[in-house]
Amino acid sequence: MPTLSADIAAILYTVSAVLFILALRGLSSPETSRRGNTFGMVGIAIAIITTLLVSNMNGMGFALAAGGLALGGVAGAVIAKKIPMTDMPQLVAAFHSLVGLAAVLVAVAAFFSPADFGILSEGRIKAGSMLELGLGAAIGAITFSGSVIAFAKLNGNMSGSPIMLPARHLINLALGLGIAVLIGMLMKSGGTEPWIIWALLAATFLIGFLLIIPIGGADMPVVVSMLNSYSGWAAAALGFTLGNLALIIVGALVGSSGAILSYIMCKAMNRSFISVILGGFGGDTAASDAGDKEQRPVKRGSAEDAAFIMKNASKVIIVPGYGLAVAQAQHATREMVDALKEEGVDVVYAIHPVAGRMPGHMNVLLAEANVPYDEVFELEDINSEFSNADVAFVIGANDVTNPAAKTDPASPIYGMPILDVDKAATVLFVKRSLSPGYAGIDNDLFYRDNTMMLLSDAKKMVEGIIKAL
Amino acid sequence: MTGMLIMAGGAAVSPLVFQLAIFIMAIFVGYYVVWSVTPALHTPLMAVTNAISSVIIVGALVAVAAGVKGGSGISTWAGFAAVALCSVNIFGGFLVTQRMLAMYKKKAK
């Protein structure tokens, strides 16, 4: 078997870590991103080959490694090819759960073969290594069970509404303390008592589950980002156990990436991270359809009206929300925009950070519908443009346009940054009904004089507009 | 024994402090690099971080190697399962990212 010296191996791991940094750096613009992704692939190939060469693998080991790679690789490739873009959030949640579980398995393996992981000292696992191993196992287990719940909620296997256990904060606190005690016991035992690691895993699987069930569907973008971060910290902890530079660096990169995304998502919803974690906010379906709706008059319009208004506009801003994806109307919307451009109308898209079910989700959906990315603008870049726009065409979005976020301190979304669609000369709202959004709040915009409600399924309405154009 | 340990660990000079320093530096690198990612690519960012965090496969391979050389059977099979799970993520994560990135096009002028 060819072997590498430890120094060469460390250099190769560093090279792969640098390639991972370049992979993330590439994502600063779509042009460089594709090359970045290739760097990432080369990086992981280097890490795998290096490990195969340094680990003194025998024939049986190679066979198992190759079998695992082939098995998982084929499954992964098939999933990547088949998954619809609307299902990206649940796919990412599922992938997080796999990383979490892999971290748990590696920690267990290290616990039972400490000599080969280099963490033994005088027949006992070193306390420091045990701490790293225990943390890796614990964070991995939380990532796993938390992601399974996030997946079930995003995929619709489970209701998006929060599940609130009585005294859940107390239960979680007790479990958290128990986990800390178990890690302490692990360190003290030096690996002589396997029951402790099993107990630790049981407790951490349970707390991951309990932490995510009270979080509502609307907060899922934060949860998915947070679990992304956790998977990184789990990897980093095990990187310390293994003394592996690539793993330590990747763990830090992924950990900070997930943390930044959680922060961005929280800010976009004006929610504090703590309140998201504590849960209880926002079911998927608006619970309150109070009887007082429909009392105020709204102006309704048809597809023909909308087509007429937009055809005669010089600037139209499209504001897509998650409802667009639900109705699968992204392709029809792009066709409508093409038709408008034929008429000489200037059309761009405005995206709120929480327009989709995960960070950047709406951008992917529009890209899939062949919308050029330089026509798609983020909130801070486009907000000043609404006052120059003749028409704001809001499709499948609601709360992110609600002026109550600015004007009504009593509103649950008060303080959330919104797209200033109310500044446009005319607002066209494509909506299935007048029901409020996830936050359960009425939108004042519906009742304004310059707003026309296009009450219909998004796809049907857009197709109607195309016909009328 | 020790020679092998160092090799399995990957870093010949590996006091904890040294690793911790690298870890902290990497957090800073991550912080600045991720803030420079355009919001339009946040979904591919998550997919690709997913794929690269599966570099934990190096631990899984060490586990397999340890198990088959007369170590614990738990190591062999936990390692094998972890290799398979990580592979799903590596192949799935990079390929789905590639698929997404291929869709981002500039306006045809």
Side-chain angles (χ1 to χ4, degrees), chain A residues 65-358:
Chain A
L69 271 164
L71 206 68
V74 169
V78 170
I79 294 168
K81 211 172 155 56
K82 293 234 162 111
I83 191 90
M85 286 298 145
T86 37
D87 290 352
M88 241 17 243
Q90 47 270 54
L91 178 73
V92 167
F95 279 170
H96 287 155
S97 74
L98 299 186
V99 180
L101 192 55
V104 168
L105 290 168
V106 171
V108 168
F111 184 90
F112 287 100
S113 297
D116 298 278
F117 279 80
I119 53 176
L120 267 191
S121 156
E122 291 160 12
R124 292 164 59 87
I125 298 178
K126 289 179 273 189
S129 299
M130 195 59 109
L131 175 64
E132 295 150 11
L133 189 158
L135 284 176
I139 305 171
I142 292 171
T143 309
F144 171 72
S145 54
S147 298
V148 168
I149 301 300
F151 171 84
K153 288 195 175 200
L154 287 163
N155 203 36
N157 307 94
M158 210 174 137
S159 151
S161 22
I163 299 169
M164 317 281 270
L165 295 180
R168 62 204 161 86
H169 297 317
L170 216 63
I171 299 174
N172 289 343
L173 194 67
L175 260 176
L177 285 174
I179 289 165
V181 169
L182 283 169
I183 292 180
M185 288 168 70
L186 260 186
M187 291 167 69
K188 208 157 172 264
S189 75
T192 48
E193 288 174 85
W195 73 266
I196 306 177
I197 192 150
W198 299 127
L200 175 68
L201 288 176
T204 44
F205 278 132
L206 184 63
I207 202 169
F209 175 78
L210 292 175
L211 281 174
I212 307 301
I213 55 167
I215 303 182
D219 278 340
M220 278 303 139
V222 182
V223 171
V224 174
S225 314
M226 184 183 83
L227 291 165
N228 185 240
S229 182
Y230 287 180
S231 68
W233 302 131
L238 290 169
F240 280 101
T241 312
L242 287 156
N244 185 298
L245 291 180
L247 203 42
I248 292 175
I249 295 172
V250 162
L253 293 176
V254 177
S256 46
S257 167
I260 290 171
L261 290 175
S262 317
Y263 170 80
I264 293 174
M265 289 296 108
C266 282
K267 226 177 118 204
M269 297 194 286
N270 192 38
R271 311 255 291 116
S272 81
F273 190 66
I274 300 294
S275 74
V276 171
I277 300 301
L278 294 180
F281 182 81
D284 243 351
T285 44
S288 64
D289 47 348
D292 62 343
K293 75 176 184 195
E294 296 278 357
Q295 281 185 357
R296 294 157 71 186
V298 301
K299 206 155 70 181
R300 296 190 184 201
S302 65
E304 288 74 25
D305 300 333
F308 180 78
I309 294 172
M310 287 199 281
K311 199 154 62 173
N312 291 302
S314 60
K315 187 175 175 72
V316 173
I317 301 179
I318 313 271
V319 179
Y322 190 65
L324 174 94
V326 174
Q328 290 288 331
Q330 56 269 44
H331 294 274
T333 303
R334 205 255 314 145
E335 282 169 35
M336 180 189 83
V337 170
D338 287 349
L340 284 171
K341 283 191 201 151
E342 298 264 304
E343 303 280 338
V345 184
D346 176 23
V347 191
V348 292
Y349 297 78
I351 295 195
H352 191 279
V354 292
R357 274 290 180 271
M358 71 184 286

Side-chain angles (χ1 to χ4, degrees), chain A residues 34 80 99 113 115 242-243 359, chain B residues 5 9 43 75 89 99 101 105 107:
Chain A
R34 290 173 270 260
V99 180
S113 297
L242 287 156
Chain B
L5 289 186
T43 295
S75 290
N89 253 345
R99 203 180 127 202
L101 294 177
K105 291 187 195 83
K107 196 165 9 186

